[in-house]
Amino acid sequence: MIWTRYIDRRSFVPLLFALLFNSPVPAQQSGSPTSAAQTDVGNWVMPAKDYASTRFSELDEINSGNASKLQVAFTFSMGINRGQESAPIVVGNSLFVVTPYPNILYALDLTKPGAPVKWKYEPKTEASAQGVACCDTVNRGPVSGDGRIYFNTLDGHTIAVDAETGQEIWNVKLGDINIGETMTMAPLFAKGKVYVGNSGGEFGVRGWLQALDATSGKTLWKAWSTGPDKDVLIGPEFRPFYSMDQGQDLGVTSWPPDAWQHGGGNVWGWISYDPEFNAIYYGTGNPGPWNPDARPGDNKWTAGIFARDADTGAARWFYQWSPHDLYDHDGVNEQILLDLNWQGKPRKVLVRAERNGYVYVMDRITGEVLSATPFAAVNSSTAVDLKTGRLQMSPDKEPETGKVVRDICPAAPGAKDWNPTAYSPKTGYLYIPHNNLCMDFEGIEPNYIAGTPFVGANVAMKAGPGDGHRGEYTAWDISAGKEVWTINERFPVWSGTLATAGNVVFYGNMEGWFKALDAQTGELLWQYKTGSGIIGQPTTYRGPDGHQYVAILSGVGGWAGVVVANELDTRDRTAALGFVGAMQDLPTATTKGGMLYVFRLP
Amino acid sequence: MQFWLPTVFLVAIYRGQKSDAAMMRAIMLLALLVAPASCQREERDLTGSVPEKPAAGIEQSVLHPGDGNNPAPARSKYEETAFDVAEGKRLFQWFNCSGCHFNGGGGIGPALMDDKWFYGSSIENIVATIKEGRPNGMPSFKGLVPEKEVWQLAAYVRSVGGFVAKDVAPSRNDDLNAAPAENRAPTPSPFNGKGP
């Protein structure tokens, strides 16, 4: 229990609460988070809440009966008006939050009224880094571990700061903005290691994941996402389930000569950790360039998922969601590790709502796909062939150089982008914040110039099927493989979500409403209008006063909201990689912002 | 003007003839005369010469302490020839400007089709932006893009901003067409003392 490190006299009350509520997970309908789910109930030490990435909190002071009374406890201005995708995390008596570029890290003192700043850490992030961040200058959050806070900066540094004092402990430069390499993901801390990856899939940057020693920042190993097996840390332990992922040096041979060197596969999303098998799971980004004509072949190991030994990095298996990806369908979304009763048998699975539009249930030991069911409008593919594991593409939606292919669904940001789902063991539902978007796509000849975009496509997005709504929030029954209820939103739901034992789920929309829903029925219990559109990740914690709080950042931006954050011109529907096509009315619905809101019951 | 001369000439010939064959001859004659004439729309510089450097240097401020004079920026020949502006458009994609600014609406970089200019909208300012880069992420293309092409790019950026004459600015694209054509960009009103 990490939080016990922080116990002092003041945290006597939380301790009491922890003892009261730290009961075993109650009987489940569907499945339980694996042992990877942690037990420090009152804290929220990492953006995903626990190693299993459930984003589920055992706290239940706020519940479906009283959530309607929620009110603002305190606010905090981030001082930066760009997209706020970060998760506020809480360890003991402090809340930690990181701004978009220039990535200032703040610790707020939760023991004092109004939670004033305890310390501030400012990494002198290189201003030019803003020019190579594909999709707004976002950061997805800090993580805590062993008394330190770890986070990445846009200019490619990973930094460890003392959680108590804000003093820098180490600072390592891992990325090179001159080739378009940035870092936006939230690191994972596990077993004395910090796992970090790079961004740059729109700049032809070759993707990697590194494990750093948490005490020194020293690189323990680095696993590339393309190239020869030795670079990818593929060795004798590697046993992919499907034949399409088997063979030697596929990271070279599934590309035109040398194209893998600028092939993307960036690791800018989420990592889960399974202590039982000592494995980490994470996805790889889109292949570069977007125009698929430039890279015939399956383009390993992009747009897929790796299982690796957490200590050595050795690959155990890989599965490719989108072989020879046609649409910028990065495979970096979060995977939730569950022990599930699957068709009568107990199975260790991982569940993913994937960008290509399918909810995958996979055996996380073998890499076998148990089911893949569409959760949004999909016409770019017809199904996942469970025998071969291969996504079946629709030939009439295949992009081509010099040709405009219209109405491809889902669009480039996929049915769901980076913004993570939550899983409630109480309902057995996966809560999926997602998009309802389609696009027109024209392939154009790409030109690789290091440090400039390597895309080769003209894209214009639009609303998916329906009344023009572009976002949805869906409760998904994992065992039954179907939607239980869906709430339509005017704009893409670009925020994360969380679920609690109080039978409440939270998320925000791009107009700025922060919402609490009944986890079972989807009924709207409460909503609060924040100052700007919400694209952040909600978290919940027990404060030093023993009461439950819910935190969210407000501040529109990200790829979906950069039209507002960077004041783009909506007359150009191809602006911001085509997202502006679908966001014509966002500038009339919200303005820039950057504010932390924390709520509690009266 | 050049178009009218041969037409009058042709009509004169046709009046004097009777047969269809003669009419065909006349039409072919018209085509022969009109084709080269229409190519004369503008002078094209084939020498590859590079413009003279702006004499006064580039200013980034409208504040002139103790003086208050803002010298009017000079127009460049590059923004007066459709050929150079069209070349600029091709280069805008080739050097991946479009990867950050798209078809003028912006993305990573700011919109270029709007009437807000952080670093000035004169061709000298834009040339400086391209060559020197700007601190919040605009790369310096010095060394990568030859001088003449920098000016063509800058002329094209001016057309995106609506500063270039309608008959010089590029017209509708043949492809996705999800942004208005440059020659339909509204002429911006003088902004911040840095109008056309």
Side-chain angles (χ1 to χ4, degrees), chain B residues 75-106:
Chain B
R75 262 188 181 282
S76 150
K77 61 174 181 170
Y78 285 95
E79 51 188 318
E80 278 161 5
T81 46
F83 172 76
D84 287 312
V85 175
E87 275 299 278
K89 177 167 178 148
R90 186 180 64 79
L91 297 167
F92 194 78
Q93 187 166 312
W94 183 247
F95 286 113
N96 295 338
C97 312
S98 52
C100 290
H101 296 283
F102 296 87
N103 291 296

PDB file of all heavy atoms in Angstrom, chain B residues 75-106:
ATOM      1  N   ARG B  75       5.815  45.818 -52.505  1.00  0.00           N
ATOM      2  CA  ARG B  75       5.298  44.614 -53.156  1.00  0.00           C
ATOM      3  C   ARG B  75       6.419  43.924 -53.913  1.00  0.00           C
ATOM      4  O   ARG B  75       7.349  44.576 -54.390  1.00  0.00           O
ATOM      5  CB  ARG B  75       4.200  45.011 -54.147  1.00  0.00           C
ATOM      6  CG  ARG B  75       2.823  44.828 -53.567  1.00  0.00           C
ATOM      7  CD  ARG B  75       1.776  45.048 -54.648  1.00  0.00           C
ATOM      8  NE  ARG B  75       0.435  44.901 -54.108  1.00  0.00           N
ATOM      9  CZ  ARG B  75      -0.130  43.738 -53.857  1.00  0.00           C
ATOM     10  NH1 ARG B  75       0.481  42.611 -54.104  1.00  0.00           N
ATOM     11  NH2 ARG B  75      -1.351  43.667 -53.349  1.00  0.00           N
ATOM     12  N   SER B  76       6.312  42.616 -54.038  1.00  0.00           N
ATOM     13  CA  SER B  76       7.352  41.893 -54.740  1.00  0.00           C
ATOM     14  C   SER B  76       6.792  41.397 -56.067  1.00  0.00           C
ATOM     15  O   SER B  76       5.610  41.110 -56.183  1.00  0.00           O
ATOM     16  CB  SER B  76       7.805  40.716 -53.881  1.00  0.00           C
ATOM     17  OG  SER B  76       8.235  39.676 -54.711  1.00  0.00           O
ATOM     18  N   LYS B  77       7.663  41.262 -57.063  1.00  0.00           N
ATOM     19  CA  LYS B  77       7.209  40.762 -58.368  1.00  0.00           C
ATOM     20  C   LYS B  77       6.674  39.328 -58.233  1.00  0.00           C
ATOM     21  O   LYS B  77       5.894  38.881 -59.047  1.00  0.00           O
ATOM     22  CB  LYS B  77       8.341  40.822 -59.380  1.00  0.00           C
ATOM     23  CG  LYS B  77       9.530  39.975 -59.010  1.00  0.00           C
ATOM     24  CD  LYS B  77      10.575  39.951 -60.108  1.00  0.00           C
ATOM     25  CE  LYS B  77      11.735  39.063 -59.662  1.00  0.00           C
ATOM     26  NZ  LYS B  77      12.693  38.763 -60.678  1.00  0.00           N
ATOM     27  N   TYR B  78       7.124  38.616 -57.185  1.00  0.00           N
ATOM     28  CA  TYR B  78       6.695  37.222 -57.036  1.00  0.00           C
ATOM     29  C   TYR B  78       5.206  37.093 -56.754  1.00  0.00           C
ATOM     30  O   TYR B  78       4.606  36.098 -57.061  1.00  0.00           O
ATOM     31  CB  TYR B  78       7.495  36.531 -55.926  1.00  0.00           C
ATOM     32  CG  TYR B  78       8.886  36.215 -56.372  1.00  0.00           C
ATOM     33  CD1 TYR B  78       9.939  37.073 -56.101  1.00  0.00           C
ATOM     34  CD2 TYR B  78       9.140  35.069 -57.116  1.00  0.00           C
ATOM     35  CE1 TYR B  78      11.207  36.810 -56.543  1.00  0.00           C
ATOM     36  CE2 TYR B  78      10.408  34.789 -57.568  1.00  0.00           C
ATOM     37  CZ  TYR B  78      11.444  35.660 -57.272  1.00  0.00           C
ATOM     38  OH  TYR B  78      12.709  35.375 -57.735  1.00  0.00           O
ATOM     39  N   GLU B  79       4.642  38.110 -56.141  1.00  0.00           N
ATOM     40  CA  GLU B  79       3.208  38.008 -55.863  1.00  0.00           C
ATOM     41  C   GLU B  79       2.384  38.635 -56.985  1.00  0.00           C
ATOM     42  O   GLU B  79       1.180  38.781 -56.862  1.00  0.00           O
ATOM     43  CB  GLU B  79       2.859  38.637 -54.512  1.00  0.00           C
ATOM     44  CG  GLU B  79       3.391  40.028 -54.331  1.00  0.00           C
ATOM     45  CD  GLU B  79       3.196  40.524 -52.911  1.00  0.00           C
ATOM     46  OE1 GLU B  79       2.128  40.303 -52.340  1.00  0.00           O
ATOM     47  OE2 GLU B  79       4.138  41.154 -52.386  1.00  0.00           O
ATOM     48  N   GLU B  80       3.062  38.990 -58.074  1.00  0.00           N
ATOM     49  CA  GLU B  80       2.335  39.556 -59.207  1.00  0.00           C
ATOM     50  C   GLU B  80       2.312  38.624 -60.400  1.00  0.00           C
ATOM     51  O   GLU B  80       1.762  38.951 -61.441  1.00  0.00           O
ATOM     52  CB  GLU B  80       2.934  40.919 -59.573  1.00  0.00           C
ATOM     53  CG  GLU B  80       2.369  41.983 -58.653  1.00  0.00           C
ATOM     54  CD  GLU B  80       3.180  43.250 -58.582  1.00  0.00           C
ATOM     55  OE1 GLU B  80       4.170  43.383 -59.324  1.00  0.00           O
ATOM     56  OE2 GLU B  80       2.809  44.103 -57.759  1.00  0.00           O
ATOM     57  N   THR B  81       2.913  37.447 -60.255  1.00  0.00           N
ATOM     58  CA  THR B  81       2.901  36.495 -61.361  1.00  0.00           C
ATOM     59  C   THR B  81       2.245  35.195 -60.917  1.00  0.00           C
ATOM     60  O   THR B  81       2.641  34.597 -59.927  1.00  0.00           O
ATOM     61  CB  THR B  81       4.331  36.194 -61.842  1.00  0.00           C
ATOM     62  OG1 THR B  81       5.140  35.950 -60.698  1.00  0.00           O
ATOM     63  CG2 THR B  81       4.919  37.341 -62.609  1.00  0.00           C
ATOM     64  N   ALA B  82       1.233  34.794 -61.695  1.00  0.00           N
ATOM     65  CA  ALA B  82       0.494  33.569 -61.373  1.00  0.00           C
ATOM     66  C   ALA B  82       1.432  32.365 -61.346  1.00  0.00           C
ATOM     67  O   ALA B  82       1.264  31.447 -60.553  1.00  0.00           O
ATOM     68  CB  ALA B  82      -0.627  33.357 -62.382  1.00  0.00           C
ATOM     69  N   PHE B  83       2.437  32.396 -62.205  1.00  0.00           N
ATOM     70  CA  PHE B  83       3.357  31.270 -62.252  1.00  0.00           C
ATOM     71  C   PHE B  83       4.087  31.097 -60.914  1.00  0.00           C
ATOM     72  O   PHE B  83       4.150  29.998 -60.351  1.00  0.00           O
ATOM     73  CB  PHE B  83       4.382  31.451 -63.381  1.00  0.00           C
ATOM     74  CG  PHE B  83       5.461  30.411 -63.356  1.00  0.00           C
ATOM     75  CD1 PHE B  83       5.205  29.123 -63.798  1.00  0.00           C
ATOM     76  CD2 PHE B  83       6.725  30.709 -62.850  1.00  0.00           C
ATOM     77  CE1 PHE B  83       6.190  28.147 -63.756  1.00  0.00           C
ATOM     78  CE2 PHE B  83       7.720  29.739 -62.798  1.00  0.00           C
ATOM     79  CZ  PHE B  83       7.448  28.459 -63.248  1.00  0.00           C
ATOM     80  N   ASP B  84       4.608  32.182 -60.383  1.00  0.00           N
ATOM     81  CA  ASP B  84       5.353  32.082 -59.120  1.00  0.00           C
ATOM     82  C   ASP B  84       4.429  31.674 -57.966  1.00  0.00           C
ATOM     83  O   ASP B  84       4.808  30.875 -57.118  1.00  0.00           O
ATOM     84  CB  ASP B  84       6.037  33.416 -58.803  1.00  0.00           C
ATOM     85  CG  ASP B  84       7.228  33.665 -59.723  1.00  0.00           C
ATOM     86  OD1 ASP B  84       8.043  32.745 -59.886  1.00  0.00           O
ATOM     87  OD2 ASP B  84       7.319  34.762 -60.292  1.00  0.00           O
ATOM     88  N   VAL B  85       3.240  32.221 -57.962  1.00  0.00           N
ATOM     89  CA  VAL B  85       2.306  31.877 -56.888  1.00  0.00           C
ATOM     90  C   VAL B  85       1.918  30.395 -57.001  1.00  0.00           C
ATOM     91  O   VAL B  85       1.859  29.674 -56.004  1.00  0.00           O
ATOM     92  CB  VAL B  85       1.065  32.802 -56.925  1.00  0.00           C
ATOM     93  CG1 VAL B  85       0.046  32.368 -55.886  1.00  0.00           C
ATOM     94  CG2 VAL B  85       1.481  34.251 -56.682  1.00  0.00           C
ATOM     95  N   ALA B  86       1.719  29.923 -58.247  1.00  0.00           N
ATOM     96  CA  ALA B  86       1.372  28.513 -58.449  1.00  0.00           C
ATOM     97  C   ALA B  86       2.546  27.610 -58.047  1.00  0.00           C
ATOM     98  O   ALA B  86       2.351  26.554 -57.437  1.00  0.00           O
ATOM     99  CB  ALA B  86       0.984  28.270 -59.905  1.00  0.00           C
ATOM    100  N   GLU B  87       3.748  28.031 -58.374  1.00  0.00           N
ATOM    101  CA  GLU B  87       4.920  27.278 -57.934  1.00  0.00           C
ATOM    102  C   GLU B  87       4.959  27.227 -56.404  1.00  0.00           C
ATOM    103  O   GLU B  87       5.246  26.195 -55.807  1.00  0.00           O
ATOM    104  CB  GLU B  87       6.208  27.945 -58.448  1.00  0.00           C
ATOM    105  CG  GLU B  87       6.601  27.535 -59.848  1.00  0.00           C
ATOM    106  CD  GLU B  87       6.865  26.055 -59.965  1.00  0.00           C
ATOM    107  OE1 GLU B  87       7.969  25.613 -59.616  1.00  0.00           O
ATOM    108  OE2 GLU B  87       5.941  25.342 -60.403  1.00  0.00           O
ATOM    109  N   GLY B  88       4.669  28.378 -55.786  1.00  0.00           N
ATOM    110  CA  GLY B  88       4.644  28.441 -54.327  1.00  0.00           C
ATOM    111  C   GLY B  88       3.650  27.446 -53.754  1.00  0.00           C
ATOM    112  O   GLY B  88       3.918  26.795 -52.749  1.00  0.00           O
ATOM    113  N   LYS B  89       2.542  27.307 -54.430  1.00  0.00           N
ATOM    114  CA  LYS B  89       1.517  26.371 -53.951  1.00  0.00           C
ATOM    115  C   LYS B  89       2.029  24.929 -54.014  1.00  0.00           C
ATOM    116  O   LYS B  89       1.839  24.147 -53.087  1.00  0.00           O
ATOM    117  CB  LYS B  89       0.252  26.518 -54.789  1.00  0.00           C
ATOM    118  CG  LYS B  89      -0.829  25.536 -54.390  1.00  0.00           C
ATOM    119  CD  LYS B  89      -2.165  25.891 -54.984  1.00  0.00           C
ATOM    120  CE  LYS B  89      -3.163  24.819 -54.577  1.00  0.00           C
ATOM    121  NZ  LYS B  89      -4.503  25.336 -54.407  1.00  0.00           N
ATOM    122  N   ARG B  90       2.705  24.608 -55.110  1.00  0.00           N
ATOM    123  CA  ARG B  90       3.266  23.258 -55.250  1.00  0.00           C
ATOM    124  C   ARG B  90       4.328  23.011 -54.166  1.00  0.00           C
ATOM    125  O   ARG B  90       4.353  21.973 -53.508  1.00  0.00           O
ATOM    126  CB  ARG B  90       3.894  23.118 -56.644  1.00  0.00           C
ATOM    127  CG  ARG B  90       4.400  21.733 -56.994  1.00  0.00           C
ATOM    128  CD  ARG B  90       5.008  21.712 -58.394  1.00  0.00           C
ATOM    129  NE  ARG B  90       6.200  22.562 -58.541  1.00  0.00           N
ATOM    130  CZ  ARG B  90       7.424  22.223 -58.119  1.00  0.00           C
ATOM    131  NH1 ARG B  90       7.618  21.059 -57.537  1.00  0.00           N
ATOM    132  NH2 ARG B  90       8.452  23.046 -58.283  1.00  0.00           N
ATOM    133  N   LEU B  91       5.179  24.017 -53.954  1.00  0.00           N
ATOM    134  CA  LEU B  91       6.245  23.873 -52.957  1.00  0.00           C
ATOM    135  C   LEU B  91       5.678  23.798 -51.530  1.00  0.00           C
ATOM    136  O   LEU B  91       6.256  23.157 -50.660  1.00  0.00           O
ATOM    137  CB  LEU B  91       7.218  25.064 -53.067  1.00  0.00           C
ATOM    138  CG  LEU B  91       7.960  25.164 -54.404  1.00  0.00           C
ATOM    139  CD1 LEU B  91       8.636  26.528 -54.536  1.00  0.00           C
ATOM    140  CD2 LEU B  91       8.989  24.043 -54.529  1.00  0.00           C
ATOM    141  N   PHE B  92       4.568  24.462 -51.319  1.00  0.00           N
ATOM    142  CA  PHE B  92       3.932  24.477 -50.005  1.00  0.00           C
ATOM    143  C   PHE B  92       3.591  23.045 -49.585  1.00  0.00           C
ATOM    144  O   PHE B  92       3.701  22.676 -48.415  1.00  0.00           O
ATOM    145  CB  PHE B  92       2.657  25.332 -50.071  1.00  0.00           C
ATOM    146  CG  PHE B  92       2.077  25.701 -48.736  1.00  0.00           C
ATOM    147  CD1 PHE B  92       2.643  26.724 -47.979  1.00  0.00           C
ATOM    148  CD2 PHE B  92       0.957  25.041 -48.241  1.00  0.00           C
ATOM    149  CE1 PHE B  92       2.096  27.079 -46.752  1.00  0.00           C
ATOM    150  CE2 PHE B  92       0.408  25.400 -47.014  1.00  0.00           C
ATOM    151  CZ  PHE B  92       0.978  26.420 -46.263  1.00  0.00           C
ATOM    152  N   GLN B  93       3.201  22.238 -50.557  1.00  0.00           N
ATOM    153  CA  GLN B  93       2.948  20.834 -50.247  1.00  0.00           C
ATOM    154  C   GLN B  93       4.248  20.043 -50.209  1.00  0.00           C
ATOM    155  O   GLN B  93       4.450  19.218 -49.331  1.00  0.00           O
ATOM    156  CB  GLN B  93       1.984  20.249 -51.277  1.00  0.00           C
ATOM    157  CG  GLN B  93       1.563  18.849 -50.907  1.00  0.00           C
ATOM    158  CD  GLN B  93       0.369  18.405 -51.733  1.00  0.00           C
ATOM    159  OE1 GLN B  93      -0.619  19.129 -51.872  1.00  0.00           O
ATOM    160  NE2 GLN B  93       0.469  17.223 -52.307  1.00  0.00           N
ATOM    161  N   TRP B  94       5.148  20.322 -51.158  1.00  0.00           N
ATOM    162  CA  TRP B  94       6.360  19.528 -51.270  1.00  0.00           C
ATOM    163  C   TRP B  94       7.255  19.665 -50.026  1.00  0.00           C
ATOM    164  O   TRP B  94       7.841  18.696 -49.560  1.00  0.00           O
ATOM    165  CB  TRP B  94       7.135  19.930 -52.529  1.00  0.00           C
ATOM    166  CG  TRP B  94       8.350  19.071 -52.687  1.00  0.00           C
ATOM    167  CD1 TRP B  94       9.640  19.454 -52.594  1.00  0.00           C
ATOM    168  CD2 TRP B  94       8.350  17.655 -52.925  1.00  0.00           C
ATOM    169  NE1 TRP B  94      10.464  18.371 -52.764  1.00  0.00           N
ATOM    170  CE2 TRP B  94       9.700  17.250 -52.960  1.00  0.00           C
ATOM    171  CE3 TRP B  94       7.358  16.692 -53.106  1.00  0.00           C
ATOM    172  CZ2 TRP B  94      10.081  15.926 -53.171  1.00  0.00           C
ATOM    173  CZ3 TRP B  94       7.741  15.371 -53.316  1.00  0.00           C
ATOM    174  CH2 TRP B  94       9.085  15.002 -53.347  1.00  0.00           C
ATOM    175  N   PHE B  95       7.329  20.857 -49.466  1.00  0.00           N
ATOM    176  CA  PHE B  95       8.163  21.055 -48.271  1.00  0.00           C
ATOM    177  C   PHE B  95       7.381  20.829 -46.979  1.00  0.00           C
ATOM    178  O   PHE B  95       7.836  21.190 -45.887  1.00  0.00           O
ATOM    179  CB  PHE B  95       8.808  22.447 -48.282  1.00  0.00           C
ATOM    180  CG  PHE B  95       9.942  22.548 -49.277  1.00  0.00           C
ATOM    181  CD1 PHE B  95       9.839  23.360 -50.384  1.00  0.00           C
ATOM    182  CD2 PHE B  95      11.103  21.804 -49.102  1.00  0.00           C
ATOM    183  CE1 PHE B  95      10.879  23.440 -51.306  1.00  0.00           C
ATOM    184  CE2 PHE B  95      12.146  21.880 -50.015  1.00  0.00           C
ATOM    185  CZ  PHE B  95      12.037  22.694 -51.125  1.00  0.00           C
ATOM    186  N   ASN B  96       6.207  20.250 -47.113  1.00  0.00           N
ATOM    187  CA  ASN B  96       5.381  19.865 -45.959  1.00  0.00           C
ATOM    188  C   ASN B  96       4.900  21.045 -45.116  1.00  0.00           C
ATOM    189  O   ASN B  96       4.557  20.867 -43.945  1.00  0.00           O
ATOM    190  CB  ASN B  96       6.108  18.847 -45.071  1.00  0.00           C
ATOM    191  CG  ASN B  96       6.341  17.540 -45.801  1.00  0.00           C
ATOM    192  OD1 ASN B  96       5.641  17.242 -46.767  1.00  0.00           O
ATOM    193  ND2 ASN B  96       7.317  16.770 -45.361  1.00  0.00           N
ATOM    194  N   CYS B  97       4.888  22.243 -45.712  1.00  0.00           N
ATOM    195  CA  CYS B  97       4.233  23.358 -45.023  1.00  0.00           C
ATOM    196  C   CYS B  97       2.787  22.947 -44.731  1.00  0.00           C
ATOM    197  O   CYS B  97       2.247  23.231 -43.659  1.00  0.00           O
ATOM    198  CB  CYS B  97       4.200  24.606 -45.888  1.00  0.00           C
ATOM    199  SG  CYS B  97       5.758  25.037 -46.674  1.00  0.00           S
ATOM    200  N   SER B  98       2.186  22.267 -45.718  1.00  0.00           N
ATOM    201  CA  SER B  98       0.779  21.881 -45.597  1.00  0.00           C
ATOM    202  C   SER B  98       0.566  20.895 -44.449  1.00  0.00           C
ATOM    203  O   SER B  98      -0.535  20.791 -43.929  1.00  0.00           O
ATOM    204  CB  SER B  98       0.292  21.273 -46.906  1.00  0.00           C
ATOM    205  OG  SER B  98       1.176  20.241 -47.308  1.00  0.00           O
ATOM    206  N   GLY B  99       1.612  20.186 -44.043  1.00  0.00           N
ATOM    207  CA  GLY B  99       1.482  19.256 -42.923  1.00  0.00           C
ATOM    208  C   GLY B  99       1.228  19.972 -41.607  1.00  0.00           C
ATOM    209  O   GLY B  99       0.686  19.381 -40.678  1.00  0.00           O
ATOM    210  N   CYS B 100       1.634  21.228 -41.513  1.00  0.00           N
ATOM    211  CA  CYS B 100       1.424  22.001 -40.284  1.00  0.00           C
ATOM    212  C   CYS B 100       0.376  23.092 -40.453  1.00  0.00           C
ATOM    213  O   CYS B 100      -0.252  23.506 -39.497  1.00  0.00           O
ATOM    214  CB  CYS B 100       2.738  22.624 -39.810  1.00  0.00           C
ATOM    215  SG  CYS B 100       3.904  21.410 -39.174  1.00  0.00           S
ATOM    216  N   HIS B 101       0.230  23.609 -41.701  1.00  0.00           N
ATOM    217  CA  HIS B 101      -0.726  24.705 -41.916  1.00  0.00           C
ATOM    218  C   HIS B 101      -1.934  24.264 -42.744  1.00  0.00           C
ATOM    219  O   HIS B 101      -2.847  25.035 -42.971  1.00  0.00           O
ATOM    220  CB  HIS B 101      -0.029  25.872 -42.617  1.00  0.00           C
ATOM    221  CG  HIS B 101       1.069  26.494 -41.808  1.00  0.00           C
ATOM    222  ND1 HIS B 101       0.825  27.341 -40.759  1.00  0.00           N
ATOM    223  CD2 HIS B 101       2.425  26.375 -41.876  1.00  0.00           C
ATOM    224  CE1 HIS B 101       1.979  27.738 -40.231  1.00  0.00           C
ATOM    225  NE2 HIS B 101       2.972  27.148 -40.874  1.00  0.00           N
ATOM    226  N   PHE B 102      -1.884  23.028 -43.251  1.00  0.00           N
ATOM    227  CA  PHE B 102      -2.953  22.462 -44.071  1.00  0.00           C
ATOM    228  C   PHE B 102      -3.287  23.381 -45.237  1.00  0.00           C
ATOM    229  O   PHE B 102      -2.394  24.042 -45.753  1.00  0.00           O
ATOM    230  CB  PHE B 102      -4.141  22.072 -43.186  1.00  0.00           C
ATOM    231  CG  PHE B 102      -3.682  20.971 -42.264  1.00  0.00           C
ATOM    232  CD1 PHE B 102      -3.080  21.243 -41.048  1.00  0.00           C
ATOM    233  CD2 PHE B 102      -3.737  19.667 -42.684  1.00  0.00           C
ATOM    234  CE1 PHE B 102      -2.559  20.232 -40.260  1.00  0.00           C
ATOM    235  CE2 PHE B 102      -3.230  18.644 -41.899  1.00  0.00           C
ATOM    236  CZ  PHE B 102      -2.644  18.932 -40.687  1.00  0.00           C
ATOM    237  N   ASN B 103      -4.545  23.446 -45.645  1.00  0.00           N
ATOM    238  CA  ASN B 103      -4.857  24.295 -46.795  1.00  0.00           C
ATOM    239  C   ASN B 103      -5.168  25.714 -46.347  1.00  0.00           C
ATOM    240  O   ASN B 103      -6.089  26.348 -46.858  1.00  0.00           O
ATOM    241  CB  ASN B 103      -5.994  23.671 -47.606  1.00  0.00           C
ATOM    242  CG  ASN B 103      -5.546  22.380 -48.304  1.00  0.00           C
ATOM    243  OD1 ASN B 103      -4.673  22.401 -49.161  1.00  0.00           O
ATOM    244  ND2 ASN B 103      -6.105  21.258 -47.907  1.00  0.00           N
ATOM    245  N   GLY B 104      -4.399  26.187 -45.360  1.00  0.00           N
ATOM    246  CA  GLY B 104      -4.545  27.563 -44.904  1.00  0.00           C
ATOM    247  C   GLY B 104      -5.247  27.713 -43.566  1.00  0.00           C
ATOM    248  O   GLY B 104      -5.134  28.745 -42.913  1.00  0.00           O
ATOM    249  N   GLY B 105      -5.952  26.667 -43.147  1.00  0.00           N
ATOM    250  CA  GLY B 105      -6.723  26.770 -41.900  1.00  0.00           C
ATOM    251  C   GLY B 105      -5.877  26.550 -40.650  1.00  0.00           C
ATOM    252  O   GLY B 105      -6.292  26.880 -39.543  1.00  0.00           O
ATOM    253  N   GLY B 106      -4.682  25.956 -40.828  1.00  0.00           N
ATOM    254  CA  GLY B 106      -3.796  25.727 -39.686  1.00  0.00           C
ATOM    255  C   GLY B 106      -4.045  24.408 -38.990  1.00  0.00           C
ATOM    256  O   GLY B 106      -4.999  23.683 -39.296  1.00  0.00           O
TER     257      GLY B 106
END
